[in-house]
Amino acid sequence: MTSLDLLQSLNEAQRAAVSAPIGPVLVLAGAGSGKTRVLTHRAAWLILECGVSPHGLMAVTFTNKAANEMRGRIESLLGMPADALWIGTFHGLSHRMLRRHWREARLPQSFQILDQDDQERLVRRIIREQKLDEQRWVPREVQGFINSNKDEGRRSKSLSDRNDPTRKQLIQLYKLYEDRCAAAGVVDFAELLLRSFELLRDVPELGEYYRGRFRHILVDEFQDTNGIQYDWLRQLVGKTGAPFVVGDDDQSVYRWRGAKVENMQHFRREYGATVYKLEQNYRSTQVILAAANAVIAKNTDRMGKELWTAAKGGEPIRVYAAYNERDEADFVIDRIRDHQRRGLPLAAAAVLYRSNAQSRAFEESLMAARIPYRVYGGLRFFERAEIKDALAYLRLTQFRDDDIAFERVVNLPARGIGGATLELLRNDARDNQRSLWRAGHELAPALPARAAGALKGFFALIDRLAVEIAELPLHEQVKHVIQHSGLRDHHAKEKDNKGEARVENLDELVNAAESFSPENDEGLSPLGSFLAHATLESGETQAATGLDCVQLMTLHAAKGLEFPTVFVVGLEEGLFPSEHAAFDPDRLPEERRLCYVGLTRAMQRLYLTHAESRRIFGRTAYRDPSRFLAELPPGSVEDVRPRISVSRPLYAPDRVSFSSPVQDDAARRRSRAVPVPGEDLPMRLGARVRHAKFGEGTILRFEGQGESRQVHVNFEGAGRKILMYSLARLEQLS
């Protein structure tokens, strides 16, 4: 292929970017604009037209799949193997560099890499050796502290404790962890990149060698780079490099794992990069693009672009206001069936949601309708670890001799029952043909005092839970066990999105129990029937790979994918945008970008749904439609009316048009069972308040009325709390 042939298949903007003069280049590539095409063609252009040796070219991606795809495309364009090119992920390329220069990196030649689980186990071991309480010093939180600092290029010795005892202890654990890894000759994922960066920075001859070799560095998904990735790139580029980076600031949705969208602005200013914009979209209809443009336009500090397509028109965006989450799921499935009857494959439809917990209602409805589905990039609801943990506790309250349940939760949350104690129990149970529960009762008197006390405490907890839930309704049984087993608090303490997602899933398990209708299960109790139901559902396999099936996934997981038909569900204030983002100006822009990602996954048909009421941890919550719905261009949407046969909830608010969400505000407020902003509330939603025990926080929501009114407050130091308003004695700050 000649260099001219390379350009013939590209549009004008793509050709300009691919053939840009050698120097720092920033390509703003909108969704569906062909960014991978531009990146691979640029690599081929440099080799064929500019005479760059493949030996002097590096391409950086975020996934191994993307790296393999990029290599295949470049080789196809060149018509020959491209083995000399360094193509890979940030971590993969760093690993390659460290293997070559292990001495300079102060590593053993055969150094090993810790995966996430191995790293957590090592952190846990260090915490125990320091005789620290694992309930306060949660291993996963300590692990997060270590990794987040490494992602910003910070070693333990460079950190200040700021006269904070908690921070001082975390830094000490970080130092012990570093020492332990060094002694064992192992590195974790974050260490790969940090150690590689330090190698380039601190060994001048190596830095000069790589800067001289890789003058041309191509980077994909630049908006997702974190601090250390940007610094690593700077070390490689130096003063003479010609980086070519591609990204979309409107699709930066990973701040929670360290991504810095501002890196794009920093790159443009620092290197004086020439900016090229790819705005022509080859995926979606103009109607869909107009909606996406309207939503993202509300964000400030954008680098600026507007998607368009040569194909005009398209089907209107359908917006459905469901009565509740069950009605929402039924609507989606009815539409999928309609598409199926018209001969469209199931795989053409994707259901996108903000929170993993939302998948349950859709999974249940799809299974009931016998429609195959797959949860993309995640587990089915009843297969998730936190759900299995809660079910294990429930099983033990009903059957103490359940060894599988016993082993799963005997030390979760951590209560000081270690592997040695469990091994003694296993041996005794095997030798004497009895359960672990019975073995524990027999052996407890002979165990060391700490282990014996912890084991007896666990036995007492299970016995107490069994008594306390005996007369409760099913969903209250589940709720009580989740709360009083310590599982909910355990995950609530996790300082990342995973912890938040686990809590949401546990809350959804309560909702699942409340909506569960037991069949005639041969005299089983409601709880027994529910546990059997959960086991059977977890045993049901997802649709096999290659089978035509509906796709379920979070909006984060959907990034980079496309589908002819897309359902974005749960568009409600407090859900999407999330409750945290609703009153946090730093979080709301990312929620808006996430909405933009969701809208631009759709190729031909886009459905948006919201529910007037939704069960949250066993309570019915009434929420306003998402602000994102109000931002849609009026001429691009069609209001889909609900079916008459569906029963409204007892206190359902009047339906509100998506295009004018404030018109019927007074009517909505009169009909709500819970208060809304402006309704006889002494404090407004979003107000800053101070509590005598929990400190300062922000009001998120009110529930109930009169003396039973509750207030949800997100406290900066204590997290989210639900308080009786009449007893909380909150002091309003703003």
Side-chain angles (χ1 to χ4, degrees):
M1 180 178 290
T2 67
S3 55
L4 289 177
D5 293 331
L6 277 175
L7 301 180
Q8 283 182 349
S9 62
L10 307 177
N11 65 36
E12 185 178 348
Q14 291 170 338
R15 282 196 296 272
V18 167
S19 61
I22 290 177
V25 172
L26 170 61
V27 181
L28 283 178
S33 64
K35 68 176 179 64
T36 305
R37 187 180 187 84
V38 166
L39 208 70
T40 54
H41 278 65
R42 175 66 172 185
W45 174 267
L46 289 171
I47 295 169
L48 294 175
E49 177 66 19
C50 304
V52 174
S53 168
H55 184 77
L57 197 149
M58 175 187 288
V60 191
T61 69
F62 273 82
T63 66
N64 290 317
K65 180 182 177 184
N68 292 331
E69 181 184 346
M70 187 180 296
R71 180 179 294 279
R73 289 197 187 189
I74 293 172
E75 290 181 341
S76 177
L77 291 170
L78 295 176
M80 61 181 182
D83 296 334
L85 274 74
W86 276 36
I87 302 178
T89 65
F90 282 99
H91 293 95
L93 294 171
S94 294
H95 176 242
R96 185 172 180 178
M97 201 175 290
L98 294 175
R99 287 294 180 194
R100 288 193 169 195
H101 308 288
W102 54 273
R103 287 190 184 89
E104 295 90 338
R106 305 180 308 283
L107 289 169
Q109 186 174 9
S110 59
F111 72 86
Q112 300 299 303
I113 303 172
L114 296 175
D115 64 20
Q116 294 291 320
D117 290 341
D118 291 335
Q119 185 189 25
E120 186 181 345
R121 279 193 285 271
L122 177 55
V123 170
R124 187 183 304 277
R125 195 179 311 138
I126 293 169
I127 291 171
R128 289 175 177 174
E129 290 171 356
Q130 295 299 303
K131 297 182 169 44
L132 298 173
D133 183 358
E134 286 186 51
Q135 292 190 347
R136 180 180 180 190
W137 305 100
V138 180
R140 195 174 288 137
E141 291 183 17
V142 177
Q143 181 185 21
F145 176 82
I146 293 169
N147 290 341
S148 63
N149 277 289
K150 285 189 177 186
D151 286 344
E152 293 302 317
R154 296 188 289 261
R155 294 288 185 190
S156 63
K157 62 183 180 183
S158 66
L159 297 175
S160 169
D161 62 26
R162 304 168 189 166
N163 294 319
D164 182 338
T166 299
R167 184 173 171 84
K168 184 177 181 179
Q169 182 62 74
L170 286 169
I171 294 170
Q172 177 63 18
L173 291 171
Y174 184 5
K175 176 64 168 62
L176 291 169
Y177 173 81
E178 287 178 311
D179 294 343
R180 190 64 59 83
C181 288
V186 297
V187 297
D188 54 49
F189 283 111
E191 182 72 18
L192 287 171
L193 197 53
L194 178 55
R195 189 69 66 100
S196 174
F197 162 74
E198 292 172 339
L199 183 71
L200 294 168
R201 182 193 64 188
D202 300 337
V203 185
E205 59 272 23
L206 280 179
E208 287 300 320
Y209 167 75
Y210 281 109
R211 282 188 286 274
R213 175 177 173 178
F214 296 119
R215 207 170 152 243
H216 300 277
I217 302 175
L218 292 77
V219 186
D220 194 13
E221 303 286 4
F222 193 71
Q223 77 280 351
D224 293 333
T225 54
N226 61 22
I228 192 64
Q229 288 164 344
Y230 186 72
D231 288 341
W232 182 85
L233 179 66
R234 291 175 69 212
Q235 283 296 325
L236 278 172
V237 171
K239 296 180 180 179
T240 60
F244 185 95
V245 307
V246 181
D248 184 2
D249 56 331
D250 291 332
Q251 294 191 74
S252 180
V253 295
Y254 294 121
R255 180 171 287 275
W256 52 273
R257 65 185 192 194
K260 293 184 173 181
V261 66
E262 55 267 29
N263 283 347
M264 297 188 71
Q265 295 277 16
H266 292 164
F267 176 83
R268 181 179 61 83
R269 290 194 296 266
E270 184 173 357
Y271 292 96
T274 304
V275 178
Y276 295 85
K277 297 181 181 181
L278 305 183
E279 298 174 296
Q280 185 174 359
N281 177 281
Y282 293 91
R283 174 187 300 156
S284 307
T285 67
Q286 186 58 45
V287 170
I288 293 170
L289 295 181
N293 287 333
V295 170
I296 201 64
K298 298 291 183 181
N299 273 359
T300 58
D301 298 326
R302 296 172 62 227
M303 300 190 75
K305 67 180 180 312
E306 185 160 324
L307 295 180
W308 62 276
T309 179
K312 304 302 180 183
E315 296 184 25
I317 299 168
R318 279 105 179 174
V319 179
Y320 182 73
Y323 297 136
N324 51 39
E325 66 268 30
R326 180 68 64 185
D327 182 33
E328 180 182 51
D330 288 346
F331 168 79
V332 170
I333 287 160
D334 284 348
R335 289 301 181 272
I336 290 172
R337 282 200 180 283
D338 288 343
H339 296 160
Q340 197 178 19
R341 283 191 287 268
R342 285 188 276 147
L344 299 175
L346 293 172
V351 182
L352 314 183
Y353 35 79
R354 178 65 180 85
S355 164
N356 259 311
Q358 293 171 258
S359 77
R360 184 195 61 85
F362 293 96
E363 288 187 58
E364 287 190 352
S365 294
L366 285 164
M367 281 190 288
R370 300 184 180 275
I371 296 175
Y373 71 92
R374 174 169 290 280
V375 180
Y376 184 91
L379 298 171
R380 289 159 46 97
F381 183 77
F382 284 103
E383 292 172 349
R384 294 167 190 164
E386 60 275 13
I387 299 300
K388 288 186 172 183
D389 296 338
L391 294 173
Y393 268 107
L394 289 162
R395 283 160 50 190
L396 278 177
T397 66
Q398 305 303 293
F399 186 60
R400 305 296 197 279
D401 294 335
D402 188 330
D403 284 352
I404 295 174
F406 182 95
E407 283 210 63
R408 187 170 188 97
V409 299
V410 67
N411 200 43
L412 183 75
R415 50 177 60 91
I417 302 172
T421 301
L422 279 175
E423 191 59 28
L424 287 173
L425 267 59
R426 293 190 195 101
N427 292 338
D428 181 86
R430 183 191 63 236
D431 295 343
N432 295 288
Q433 296 294 299
R434 54 189 174 202
S435 68
L436 292 172
W437 179 275
R438 297 178 190 275
H441 276 284
E442 290 294 326
L443 293 181
L447 293 173
R450 183 180 177 186
L455 201 56
K456 290 176 181 177
F458 177 69
F459 293 148
L461 170 65
I462 299 300
D463 289 336
R464 185 175 69 252
L465 288 175
V467 172
E468 291 170 348
I469 69 173
E471 303 300 324
L472 295 176
L474 174 59
H475 75 283
E476 291 290 346
Q477 290 181 316
V478 176
K479 183 177 180 179
H480 187 91
V481 168
I482 288 172
Q483 285 183 318
H484 295 278
S485 65
L487 282 178
R488 198 172 193 277
D489 286 345
H490 170 70
H491 292 304
K493 291 176 183 175
E494 298 177 36
K495 304 264 190 241
D496 56 18
N497 274 35
K498 289 184 178 179
E500 187 177 324
R502 291 186 179 102
V503 171
E504 289 172 349
N505 286 333
L506 290 173
D507 292 349
E508 186 59 25
L509 184 64
V510 178
N511 298 337
E514 187 172 26
S515 63
F516 176 68
S517 299
E519 298 177 358
N520 185 11
D521 282 328
E522 303 296 332
L524 283 178
S525 66
L527 178 56
S529 294
F530 181 68
L531 291 171
H533 163 76
T535 302
L536 291 170
E537 285 215 351
S538 64
E540 290 281 340
T541 58
Q542 297 194 58
T545 302
L547 182 68
D548 185 33
C549 59
V550 176
Q551 309 294 309
L552 304 183
M553 66 193 73
T554 64
L555 285 148
H556 284 100
K559 189 170 175 288
L561 304 177
E562 60 183 38
F563 305 92
T565 302
V566 167
F567 300 86
V568 181
V569 301
L571 279 153
E572 301 139 33
E573 290 291 309
L575 183 58
F576 190 29
S578 69
E579 207 157 45
H580 297 297
F583 305 107
D584 187 340
D586 293 331
R587 292 193 182 191
L588 186 58
E590 181 148 334
E591 292 287 301
R592 193 178 302 284
R593 292 195 291 269
L594 195 57
C595 183
Y596 175 83
V597 167
L599 301 182
T600 54
R601 297 314 92 192
M603 301 167 69
Q604 299 164 10
R605 291 168 294 277
L606 177 60
Y607 295 86
L608 309 176
T609 68
H610 64 97
E612 293 180 347
S613 68
R614 192 177 295 273
R615 299 295 290 173
I616 308 291
F617 200 36
R619 302 188 187 95
T620 299
Y622 296 91
R623 287 170 163 163
D624 289 328
S626 170
R627 68 193 69 192
F628 302 147
L629 291 173
E631 294 166 3
L632 299 175
S636 66
V637 293
E638 175 184 297
D639 190 9
V640 180
R641 306 309 300 173
R643 298 164 302 179
I644 302 300
S645 60
V646 178
S647 298
R648 285 178 176 265
L650 184 59
Y651 296 106
D654 291 345
R655 188 163 309 281
V656 180
S657 170
F658 62 87
S659 59
S660 55
V662 298
Q663 288 179 355
D664 298 322
D665 190 60
R668 284 205 317 259
R669 294 179 181 186
R670 285 192 300 270
S671 62
R672 283 186 184 268
V674 296
V676 298
E679 182 187 50
D680 73 337
L681 293 179
M683 295 184 182
R684 62 177 176 80
L685 298 185
R688 295 281 298 163
V689 296
R690 182 184 289 115
H691 186 271
K693 179 179 179 182
F694 302 124
E696 294 184 7
T698 303
I699 293 180
L700 301 178
R701 190 190 326 163
F702 287 96
E703 286 185 345
Q705 294 177 325
E707 291 297 315
S708 63
R709 175 174 292 159
Q710 295 178 318
V711 58
H712 295 231
V713 185
N714 185 35
F715 292 102
E716 293 172 358
R720 179 169 171 170
K721 301 291 182 182
I722 303 175
L723 310 171
M724 295 297 295
Y725 182 78
S726 60
L727 303 175
R729 298 183 179 180
L730 297 174
E731 175 190 355
Q732 185 163 334
L733 302 177
S734 64

